[in-house]
Amino acid sequence: MKIGEAQKRYRAQRCTLLDQRKKLLKQKEDLDKKINTTVNGNEIYSNDAATLELSIDAVTQRFEENQKVLDKLAEQYAAVWNAEVAKQQRDAAQEYGEDMVKIMEVARRIAKGAKVPGTDEKKLMEYSMELYMSAKNLAMMNKQKKKEEYESLWEDEEEKTEYDPEGKAENAETSVGMPDTSPIEGGADSSMAVESVSVEG
């Protein structure tokens, strides 16, 4: 299962568990009123109160387990996200280094009086007008009878890689299974039983 899909399902289950807990707490409140307003209410409703308390504990436990899984998924999501960002930064640094080598080579070629493509000259100017002017000044001092002519150093560049940390993190596989959507039995009577909302898979 993909991390993004698992997060969505566990968040939905979390909402379901919160609703169940809210309903059970309301049932407990109603039952407490019955116990307090009925003669021998503690004895009459003791089984219902115990069952309700167990149901609340079960929902609370499942909620805590669900939260642990969500925390684990968040860690996995962040790890994949960070790996993609690191890859992007590494590739950007590598590309910058390659561009620096090309810019210095263009400056060297210009300085020795060779003819370079206009696009390469423009890249050198955009990088550093001072370096460009220094290269041009050296070219004036190194006038040659026959100038060497070069192809552009940037013509054979590959397409730029697109980075999508969020998409990578959402679509990375996780070993986390489906959330437990089995109903938690409970309530003071059958009319108060909490319905379990299952997440379709």
Side-chain angles (χ1 to χ4, degrees):
M1 180 184 316
K2 293 182 170 41
I3 292 175
E5 181 184 343
Q7 284 179 317
K8 187 184 292 184
R9 290 173 184 258
Y10 274 88
R11 286 180 187 136
Q13 181 63 12
R14 183 177 194 257
C15 290
T16 300
L17 292 168
L18 284 172
D19 288 344
Q20 286 179 346
R21 189 167 192 278
K22 185 177 176 182
K23 288 176 185 177
L24 288 168
L25 290 173
K26 175 69 172 124
Q27 289 176 16
K28 186 176 184 316
E29 184 182 316
D30 293 345
L31 187 59
D32 287 344
K33 285 180 186 175
K34 280 185 184 181
I35 290 170
N36 292 332
T37 58
T38 305
V39 177
N40 295 329
N42 280 333
E43 294 172 15
I44 297 170
Y45 296 110
S46 65
N47 286 341
D48 292 341
T51 302
L52 200 50
E53 199 60 47
L54 289 172
S55 295
I56 291 170
D57 289 346
V59 169
T60 301
Q61 181 181 353
R62 194 175 291 174
F63 178 84
E64 289 169 359
E65 290 167 0
N66 183 282
Q67 188 59 49
K68 285 179 187 175
V69 173
L70 278 171
D71 292 344
K72 181 180 176 183
L73 288 168
E75 287 174 13
Q76 291 175 356
Y77 186 96
V80 173
W81 176 290
N82 290 336
E84 183 69 4
V85 169
K87 179 180 174 189
Q88 180 180 6
Q89 291 171 342
R90 182 194 70 231
D91 290 352
Q94 182 178 349
E95 183 180 334
Y96 177 78
E98 290 168 359
D99 280 349
M100 286 298 95
V101 168
K102 290 176 184 178
I103 284 170
M104 291 304 164
E105 178 61 18
V106 169
R108 187 191 69 74
R109 288 175 180 179
I110 291 173
K112 71 177 195 174
K115 184 176 181 186
V116 298
T119 56
D120 288 15
E121 270 193 57
K122 184 179 178 195
K123 287 202 183 247
L124 177 59
M125 282 191 293
E126 288 171 354
Y127 173 71
S128 170
M129 185 55 85
E130 290 175 9
L131 182 59
Y132 173 75
M133 293 307 294
S134 295
K136 282 294 200 182
N137 288 336
L138 285 171
M140 296 291 276
M141 293 190 303
N142 290 326
K143 285 189 177 183
Q144 298 174 353
K145 291 181 183 176
K146 183 179 178 191
K147 292 184 176 181
E148 288 184 65
E149 193 168 330
Y150 291 96
E151 298 284 322
S152 174
L153 292 172
W154 280 271
E155 284 181 359
D156 61 341
E157 285 188 342
E158 299 173 11
E159 279 189 33
K160 301 236 184 237
T161 305
E162 292 293 323
Y163 299 94
D164 182 15
E166 183 178 7
K168 286 273 190 183
E170 289 275 331
N171 293 308
E173 290 293 321
T174 181
S175 61
V176 170
M178 295 293 293
D180 182 2
T181 58
S182 60
I184 296 174
E185 298 299 323
D189 56 42
S190 60
S191 65
M192 295 173 134
V194 176
E195 295 177 16
S196 173
V197 180
S198 64
V199 179
E200 290 183 15

